Amino acid sequence: MDKIIYNFKNKTALVTGGAQGFGLDIAKRFLNSGAKVIIWDIDSKILEKTVKDLNNSNLSSSIVDVTNYKEVENCTNEITKNLNIDILINNAGITGPTAPLWEYDLDMWKKVVDINLMGTFNCCRSIVPTMIKNNYGRIVNVASVAGKDGNANASAYSVGKAGIIGLTKSLGKELADKNIAVNAVTPAGAKTRILDQMTKEHVQRMLSKVPRGRFLEVEEFTSLVCWLSSEENTFSTAAVFDISGGRSTY
Ligand code: NAD
């Protein structure tokens, strides 16, 4: 099936964690739809290969750790010297290890929450003022069905993603009188590298809960993110959009 191409001409989109997986597919669809795209990722090797493979003059990238506010702020200032950031996709994330809460490594717990939740906060904190100045913005925060349901043996990840949902609801309301939309999406499992961080049994358990009976395809996810990021989305904000194949019916 052909995917819808949106009109993202004259728009600049920033995708965090865009070197691979969901973020990369979103970046590709934005580029195909006429946007300028900036990818921020912490993995320099994969980022370099991705940028080389895409070979697109509308694409630029930086190695950024979204948990480091100073780094995020410096890179934001660098971009906004020449461009508006119209679209922000807070997609960088890790699942961390699969373990019950009472055995969870203390540092890993903090790290998982830091990347998923504080990373999203840092990018919004740094970029929203420029969107306010331009009276335009579309922000999509990538949460997870884990943030709604709470996955056993993934407490840090579930907390980080639940936090993103709360942040989205607050920020969306704070910006509702402007042409800025802030929404969260809650995907079920898709076959990206992130699945390697979990045990096979955990992944199988996740899949068994999905009435559609299969993994989410990255292109299906991108389609939802693109509509939420488009000018066409003039009303929906502070909301949580489910894409869990029937798993979470609320
Ligand atoms: P992925 O591992 O393929 O991609 C995640 C990217 O984020 C990687 O390129 C990684 O280098 C980058 N990243 C990690 N820490 C970072 C940091 N501190 N700063 C900047 N970049 C960083 O995983 P994915 O499946 O594409 O995941 C994308 C998002 O989707 C994540 O937030 C994830 O939690 C969410 N998600 C994924 C699934 C799934 O099953 N794939 C399901 C629900 C939600």
Side-chain angles (χ1 to χ4, degrees), residues 8-14 35-36 38 79-80 83-89 127 130-131 134-139 179-181 229-231:
F8 286 120
K9 286 198 183 86
N10 306 319
K11 295 280 185 277
T12 300
L14 173 60
K36 283 194 170 57
I38 301 149
I79 296 167
T80 52
L83 292 167
N84 295 338
I85 300 172
D86 305 295
I87 299 165
L88 168 62
I89 312 296
I127 292 164
T130 75
M131 290 181 167
N134 304 324
N135 194 34
Y136 188 86
R138 298 287 181 269
I139 300 174
N179 188 7
I180 302 175
S229 308
S230 74
E231 270 189 72

Side-chain angles (χ1 to χ4, degrees), residues 16-24 40-44 46-47 63-68 90-95 111 114-116 119 142-146 157 161 164 185-195 197-198 206 215-216 218 221:
T16 72
Q20 60 194 319
F22 282 157
L24 173 57
W40 285 354
D41 205 289
I42 200 171
D43 192 326
S44 55
I46 296 181
L47 182 59
I63 300 157
V64 178
D65 176 355
V66 292
T67 66
N68 183 331
N90 281 307
N91 165 77
I94 62 166
T95 59
K111 185 174 176 185
D114 209 22
I115 294 176
N116 287 290
V142 179
S144 164
V145 74
Y157 186 66
K161 295 304 192 185
I164 290 177
V185 283
T186 57
K191 282 187 190 156
T192 65
R193 191 191 64 161
I194 211 168
L195 292 195
Q197 296 168 33
M198 299 174 258
M206 277 164 46
F215 287 103
L216 165 69
V218 284
F221 181 65

Side-chain angles (χ1 to χ4, degrees), residues 190-238:
K191 282 187 190 156
T192 65
R193 191 191 64 161
I194 211 168
L195 292 195
D196 301 345
Q197 296 168 33
M198 299 174 258
T199 61
K200 279 209 176 71
E201 295 72 35
H202 187 75
V203 172
Q204 215 36 54
R205 223 177 7 257
M206 277 164 46
L207 187 58
S208 70
K209 292 181 188 162
V210 177
R212 284 277 196 207
R214 65 167 173 86
F215 287 103
L216 165 69
E217 301 287 338
V218 284
E219 296 83 5
E220 293 171 323
F221 181 65
T222 294
S223 297
L224 174 61
V225 171
C226 280
W227 180 76
L228 288 168
S229 308
S230 74
E231 270 189 72
E232 238 181 274
N233 174 21
T234 44
F235 199 61
S236 291
T237 196

Side-chain angles (χ1 to χ4, degrees), residues 91-111:
N91 165 77
I94 62 166
T95 59
T98 309
L101 182 145
W102 59 93
E103 288 170 11
Y104 216 97
D105 180 84
L106 296 181
D107 290 336
M108 276 313 290
W109 211 91
K110 282 190 188 135
K111 185 174 176 185

